[in-house]
Amino acid sequence: MPENVTDHAAPQPVIRVLDVVKRFGGLAVLDGVSLEVYPGETMVIMGGSGCGKSTLLRLMIGSLFPDEGHVQMFGRNLDELDDAGLDALRLRFGILFQSGALFNSMSLGENVALPLAEHTDLDRETIEIMVKIKLEQVGLREAAERMPAQLSGGMKKRAGLARAIALDPEILFYDEPSAGLDPVTSAEIDQLIMDMAGKLGVTSVVVTHEMDSAFRIADRMAMLDAGRIIKVGRRSEFEALRDCPLTGDEETDLVRQFLRGDSEGPITARRLSTGYERDILGGAGF
Amino acid sequence: MNRRPGQRNLVAAVGARALGGIAYLGGMALMLAQAGRWLLRGIANPKLRLRRGPLALQMVRVGVRSVGIVSLVQVFIGVILALQMARPLEPWGQVDKIANIIGVAGFRMLGPIITAVVLSGFAGASIAAELGTMVVAEEIEALEAQALSPVRFLVVPRVLATFLMMMLLTIIADWMIALGGYLTSLAVLKPQVYIGYWERMRDQLRVRDFVSGLIMAGVFGLLVSLIGCYEGLRVRGGAEGVGRATTMTVVYSIVGIIVAACIFTVIFYVYRF
Ligand SMILES: Nc1ncnc2c1ncn2[C@@H]1O[C@H](COP(=O)(O)OP(=O)(O)OP(=O)(O)O)[C@@H](O)[C@H]1O
Ligand SMILES: [Mg+2]
């Protein structure tokens, strides 16, 4: 846990992102990102839409690889692993995708059963029981027979979570778990995330831009902006920052504006100054 | 070097196109190799065995839905062949040879090729649309993140099903062309065309006529399904990408079918097969 970080028995981070640069078509979406996630903690990564949160998550799970820098999980460089090594690692983490990403051609129960059938030697009855347990954990045991197309957005997210925990992972990744959900459903999902962390002791990495949800679930938080992490810290630090008056320091005020959801501040100021006049005045500027 | 910049750009553009084309073919060859490897691994290791359910599902999807259209189209091909041959053969007193011509043209080429064109829509485009939609919905990433291979789960059953159904449909198609010719001659042509029609066709056809058509059908089936899978899995950017993938699948499939047919015809001709 972060409290112990300075102790002599400091735990090794389970995930370590080291100076990662990721470009798409020459444009650096991530431009020197470093981040460590420690065992058992819930790390919330925040940032504006399109700032590269999902990209960072994809780099952490080895579905994308960095152009520069490294990503380590359990002390191993993902880019040095071969397919088999990567697959072995993939069994140790689960991921809830932004859209749920259930397999549409399979029922809910079959979705959860698939990783169990493929990666374990359990017989069919045991798998059925496991599926029921996993679905019960997310409150969907009754819906096992339903097809994904028949589920609401919140149910899809929960079903995706049931699938993600099928193999009892050590790390869970969540991409915008509460985006597009009503406040109550969103709070329910947050509760599930906390349950997973509390009861199962998993390490969680949550990407979100819902501040209420972030403050509910986080142990530590990180703010991603313009391709870099501009602040990492405990939840209490971020809470203090949210509630303090303006500091005058650009980056700090930027984080503060994001946390508070203010309509005025460095983020909006930057938006206004980047090329707006140039666009309007045909490149003449002032 | 006194090339003008425009020429250089043209050379660069042609070069880039050529490289892109080679990369495309390479990517498809790689996918075929991976699919083959998974198939072999499935034979060796019961845990990885290709399940009958998904294969049957794909075979029904590809075959059962298209058998009606394939049959209908091929009957018309038979009608066209019979009518078009009748006039030029008449002055030579050779109209009875219509059966021989339809047999060779149908079994060797038109059966497989027209069936493949129909399947480029029924199988290729629908595979591309389905896999492309799965890409957009992050389902492919979800498979990979669970250490499950999309090639094994999605590509192998589709390619195998299309390969098998393409050959089966071609056998049906061959007979439909023959039938179309026969019915046409019954309806509008002289008795010497339809009397002894089937006997003349049987005497004309060698096993190799039938087999060479089936070989081509198999190759076309692989082509169409591989292009569909490849286009579908490389979809980027939402619904628009899916639409583009389906269109390109049909375009590339038809080009691929014709080119492959030409190559095989040359080979069969040279080796007198
Ligand atoms: N495969 C890709 N090819 C090209 N560009 C990409 C690709 N993936 C992401 N991008 C670009 O990278 C940027 C960051 O994308 P990303 O999905 O990581 O953002 P995000 O922070 O998750 O946004 P959101 O909050 O909307 O989910 C975007 O501008 C996006 O267009
Ligand atoms: Mg995202």
Side-chain angles (χ1 to χ4, degrees), chain B residues 103-104 106-109 112 170-171 174-175 200-216 268 272-273:
Chain B
V104 173
F107 278 75
R108 285 200 87 110
M109 184 50 64
T170 295
I171 296 173
D174 290 345
W175 291 109
R200 283 194 299 282
M201 189 177 282
R202 190 191 59 209
D203 292 343
Q204 171 68 42
L205 288 175
R206 300 280 168 272
V207 172
R208 60 169 172 258
D209 294 316
F210 179 69
V211 171
S212 69
L214 269 196
I215 292 174
M216 273 202 233
F268 290 152
R272 295 172 181 277
F273 188 76

Side-chain angles (χ1 to χ4, degrees), chain B residues 11-196:
Chain B
V11 172
V14 170
R17 270 289 166 101
L19 283 180
I22 291 169
Y24 190 93
L25 290 177
M28 265 182 33
L30 192 69
M31 201 164 74
L32 179 63
Q34 284 175 338
R37 211 182 53 186
W38 278 114
L39 208 60
L40 290 180
R41 268 201 227 170
I43 293 167
N45 180 351
K47 184 114 180 74
L48 300 179
R49 184 165 299 156
L50 174 64
R51 297 223 171 66
R52 246 177 266 139
L55 180 64
L57 185 78
Q58 295 304 325
M59 288 177 72
V60 168
R61 241 186 63 171
V62 172
V64 175
R65 285 193 341 191
S66 57
V67 67
I69 303 271
V70 167
S71 303
L72 188 71
V73 169
Q74 299 288 24
V75 167
F76 285 136
I77 295 284
V79 172
I80 293 168
L81 275 180
L83 290 180
Q84 284 193 334
M85 286 298 112
R87 292 267 178 265
L89 288 175
E90 223 167 32
W92 306 88
Q94 301 273 3
V95 275
D96 57 325
K97 291 287 188 294
I98 285 177
N100 307 53
I101 293 171
I102 289 181
V104 173
F107 278 75
R108 285 200 87 110
M109 184 50 64
L110 289 169
I113 213 165
I114 302 284
T115 307
V117 169
V118 173
L119 276 203
S120 74
F122 267 110
S126 86
I127 289 173
E130 190 193 15
L131 297 192
T133 309
M134 290 181 76
V135 169
V136 173
E138 297 176 307
E139 286 180 47
I140 306 293
E141 265 183 282
L143 264 183
E144 280 172 343
Q146 293 179 85
L148 302 173
S149 158
V151 172
R152 177 184 153 214
F153 276 88
L154 302 172
V155 174
V156 169
R158 282 167 181 75
V159 170
L160 197 59
T162 312
F163 174 76
L164 295 174
M165 286 323 268
M166 180 64 210
M167 295 211 273
L168 209 68
L169 286 168
T170 295
I171 296 173
I172 297 172
D174 290 345
W175 291 109
M176 287 298 158
I177 295 178
L179 183 67
Y182 180 67
L183 294 178
T184 311
S185 55
L186 265 187
V188 294
L189 297 178
K190 298 208 175 78
Q192 68 252 49
V193 182
Y194 57 81
I195 292 171

Side-chain angles (χ1 to χ4, degrees), chain A residues 50 52-55 58 98 175-176 207 209, chain B residues 138:
Chain A
K53 303 184 297 295
S54 298
T55 304
R58 290 197 167 100
Q98 200 160 349
D175 195 357
E176 314 246 0
V207 159
H209 47 211
Chain B
E138 297 176 307

